[in-house]
């Protein structure tokens, strides 16, 4: 018996998320090509180059962590408001 061919075979949710991200970038590319003004073939080719990720992964993960903390805080606040409303009712 052999293992999965790739990590995507183990985590179908990851595949779904990657497809969603790919779709977003495809939409952005189509929008740019449709709305852009290109004065030469070279300009068009430069505009059609694939997206290159230049962000530092550590900064991205730190931002995600901060976002999760804010969401967690908001959920706790909402729970406290609901509990307070139920207690006063």
């Amino acid at each position: 018996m052999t293992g999965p061919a790739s990590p995507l075979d183990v985590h179908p949710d990851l595949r779904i998320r990657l497809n969603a991200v790919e779709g977003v970038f495809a939409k952005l590319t189509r929008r740019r090509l449709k709305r852009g003004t290109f004065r030469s073939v070279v300009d068009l080719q430069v505009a059609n180059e694939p997206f290159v990720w230049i962000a530092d992964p550590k900064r991205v993960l730190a931002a995600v962590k901060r976002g999760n903390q804010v969401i967690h805080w908001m959920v706790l606040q909402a729970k406290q408001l609901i509990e307070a409303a139920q207690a006063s009712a």
Side-chain angles (χ1 to χ4, degrees), residues 8 11-25 64 68:
L8 296 178
H11 304 286
D13 288 345
L14 179 60
R15 182 177 299 189
I16 291 168
R17 291 177 185 162
L18 287 174
N19 285 340
V21 169
E22 183 180 5
V24 167
F25 284 117
V64 169
N68 284 337

Side-chain angles (χ1 to χ4, degrees), residues 6-82:
S6 74
L8 296 178
D9 292 334
V10 177
H11 304 286
D13 288 345
L14 179 60
R15 182 177 299 189
I16 291 168
R17 291 177 185 162
L18 287 174
N19 285 340
V21 169
E22 183 180 5
V24 167
F25 284 117
K27 183 178 180 180
L28 291 173
T29 301
R30 283 192 307 273
R31 187 181 298 166
R32 177 150 188 239
L33 290 175
K34 182 178 179 181
R35 296 180 181 173
T37 302
F38 308 104
R39 301 187 189 279
S40 68
V41 173
V42 174
D43 288 346
L44 178 59
Q45 289 172 338
V46 168
N48 201 22
E49 288 180 359
F51 179 80
V52 177
W53 189 269
I54 58 171
D56 178 28
K58 290 180 183 177
R59 290 184 66 198
V60 172
L61 292 175
V64 169
K65 184 177 180 181
R66 287 191 309 273
N68 284 337
Q69 289 172 345
V70 170
I71 291 170
H72 180 70
W73 178 83
M74 291 171 62
V75 168
L76 289 177
Q77 294 296 315
K79 285 181 181 179
Q80 289 175 355
L81 287 172
I82 291 169

